[in-house]
Amino acid sequence: MDWGNFFESVTSWIGAHGLRILLIISLSFLFYRLIKMALDRGLVRYVEFREHHHAGTREDRIKRAKTLASVLTGSVGVFMFGLTVFMLLAELGIDIAPLLASAGVLGIAIGFGAQSIIKDTLNGLFILLEGQFNTGDVVKVAGVSGNVEDLNLRRTVLRDLDGIVHIIPNGQITTVSNYTHEWARVNLNVPVAYSTDLDQAAAVINRVGRELAADPEFSPMIISAPQVLRVDNFADSAIEIKVLGDVHPMKQWPVTGELRRRLKKAFDEAGIEIPFPHTKLFFDDNQLDKYARLSFRSDAGRRSAEGGIKPIPPARDNLPPDTEP
C-alpha cells in the first residue's frame, strides 16, 4: 500500500470537505443554541404578558414558560439533528433524494400506523399552549392523581402519594383537574353534636381561622382566613358546618391539617363535642314479654333438673304462638 498516496488523498479530501463539515456542524449547533435562548426568554415574556392579570405568582408563570420551552427546544433539537445529518450526507457525496423520498413514504406509513402517537402529540401541544398544567402541579388526569414530574408532547408523568410513578399518554387525557392552578382552597366540613350552640361553634371556628391566618408560620400560605360559610348538612350523628378559605397553590393540605388540629383543641376547651356515630336499639313490649317467659321456663327447667323435681308445664294458652310445651 502506497501510504504516501493514501495520506495525500486524505489530506486533499479534508481540505476539500473537512472545513465545510466543521462549518455545518458548528452553524447547526450555534443555530440550535440561539433558538433555545430565544425560546427561553421569549416564552417567559409571552406568558408574563398573556397571564399578568391572573392570580398566580410570577414563579408559577416562569415554571410554565420553562416547561413549554423545554418541550419546544427538544423538538427543535430533533429537527436540527436530522437536518444536519442530511447536509453532512450531501457533503459526503451521497445522493439524499432517494432518502428523502423514502423518508416521505415511511412518514406516511408511520402516520397510518401510529395514529395514537399523533393524537398524543397534538393533545400534548394543546396542553402546553393552553397551560392546563405544568411540571410541579398536582393534578388528576385519566383517573390518576399526583404531582407532575415530567411533561412533554407525548406523555405526562405523575407520582402519587404512595410514590408510584404513573406514565399517561396525552391522548388519554380528556379532563384535567388541577389542584394547584393560581390558587387553592381550604374546603372543610366540621361536624358538631346536635346539642351544640351553632352560634358559639361558628364563633370558635372563625376565631381559630383568624388566629391561623395571623400565625407567622402560616400567614404566607393563606390568602383569606378560613371562616364559616354555612350549616352544610344534617348528618346521621352530627351537624356539619362548611368552612372555606383561600390559600396559595399546594398550601391547602398543610393549612387544612393545622386547622383541624387547632379546632380540636379549641372545641375541647369550649366544651363543644365532635360526635361519633351512635346507635339506639328499641324493643317491642310484646317481644320483651315473650323473651322473659321463655327465659323463665328455661331457668325453671334447669333448677328442677338440678333438684330432681319435674316442673309443672305452663298452660298452653299462656305460651307464645311459636313454642311448644
Side-chain angles (χ1 to χ4, degrees):
M1 181 177 182
D2 190 352
W3 290 100
N5 292 333
F6 174 75
F7 284 116
E8 183 178 353
S9 61
V10 170
T11 303
S12 175
W13 185 89
I14 292 176
H17 301 282
L19 183 60
R20 293 181 181 177
I21 292 175
L22 181 62
L23 186 62
I24 290 172
I25 295 175
S26 300
L27 289 178
S28 298
F29 179 75
L30 179 62
F31 188 61
Y32 169 75
R33 295 296 299 179
L34 289 175
I35 291 178
K36 184 178 184 300
M37 186 183 302
L39 285 174
D40 288 341
R41 296 182 179 180
L43 286 173
V44 170
R45 294 181 179 179
Y46 167 75
V47 173
E48 285 279 358
F49 171 77
R50 188 170 180 264
E51 301 186 0
H52 70 278
H53 59 283
H54 290 179
T57 63
R58 187 172 187 272
E59 288 73 15
D60 295 331
R61 294 191 288 270
I62 291 176
K63 180 175 65 175
R64 182 197 164 199
K66 287 183 176 180
T67 301
L68 185 59
S70 65
V71 173
L72 292 181
T73 53
S75 302
V76 170
V78 172
F79 173 77
M80 289 298 303
F81 177 78
L83 183 62
T84 302
V85 169
F86 279 115
M87 293 175 66
L88 291 176
L89 292 176
E91 182 61 31
L92 294 174
I94 300 175
D95 187 8
I96 63 173
L99 294 176
L100 291 175
S102 301
V105 174
L106 181 62
I108 294 174
I110 292 176
F112 282 110
Q115 297 182 23
S116 62
I117 296 178
I118 297 175
K119 180 181 178 181
D120 294 341
T121 303
L122 291 177
N123 204 31
L125 181 62
F126 283 115
I127 289 173
L128 289 170
L129 291 177
E130 295 174 359
Q132 297 177 15
F133 57 87
N134 306 297
T135 303
D137 286 345
V138 178
V139 301
K140 181 178 182 180
V141 295
V144 179
S145 299
N147 181 271
V148 181
E149 288 201 339
D150 193 20
L151 170 65
N152 60 28
L153 289 176
R154 193 186 66 82
R155 88 291 182 270
T156 297
V157 180
L158 301 183
R159 185 183 295 273
D160 63 20
L161 283 178
D162 294 325
I164 302 173
V165 174
H166 303 268
I167 301 174
I168 303 170
N170 290 333
Q172 295 183 9
I173 300 176
T174 56
T175 302
V176 176
S177 301
N178 193 330
Y179 297 97
T180 55
H181 184 66
E182 297 184 356
W183 56 273
R185 173 166 285 168
V186 172
N187 184 354
L188 180 64
N189 272 22
V190 179
V192 297
Y194 273 89
S195 59
T196 301
D197 184 339
L198 295 181
D199 292 335
Q200 179 194 12
V204 171
I205 294 172
N206 289 335
R207 173 175 59 80
V208 171
R210 290 192 299 268
E211 292 174 354
L212 182 61
D215 189 298
E217 181 181 354
F218 291 94
S219 60
M221 308 179 188
I222 298 175
I223 299 174
S224 63
Q227 60 182 345
V228 173
L229 177 65
R230 61 173 176 262
V231 175
D232 197 55
N233 186 29
F234 290 117
D236 292 338
S237 303
I239 297 177
E240 296 180 354
I241 301 175
K242 174 71 70 176
V243 178
L244 294 182
D246 296 338
V247 297
H248 291 292
M250 300 190 72
K251 302 303 181 184
Q252 62 267 45
W253 298 292
V255 171
T256 302
E258 179 65 14
L259 180 62
R260 288 194 184 100
R261 188 185 72 84
R262 296 191 181 203
L263 284 176
K264 176 61 170 63
K265 293 180 63 177
F267 279 8
D268 289 344
E269 294 172 358
I272 298 175
E273 179 187 357
I274 299 178
F276 54 90
H278 295 75
T279 301
K280 292 184 178 181
L281 300 178
F282 296 91
F283 293 94
D284 183 76
D285 291 341
N286 294 329
Q287 293 294 324
L288 285 175
D289 185 56
K290 167 186 172 180
Y291 294 141
R293 282 180 285 171
L294 287 175
S295 177
F296 172 79
R297 288 186 59 206
S298 175
D299 186 59
R302 177 181 58 79
R303 284 188 279 109
S304 62
E306 292 175 353
I309 302 173
K310 183 177 180 180
I312 299 174
R316 180 178 296 272
D317 294 340
N318 294 331
L319 290 179
D322 57 347
T323 60
E324 293 294 333

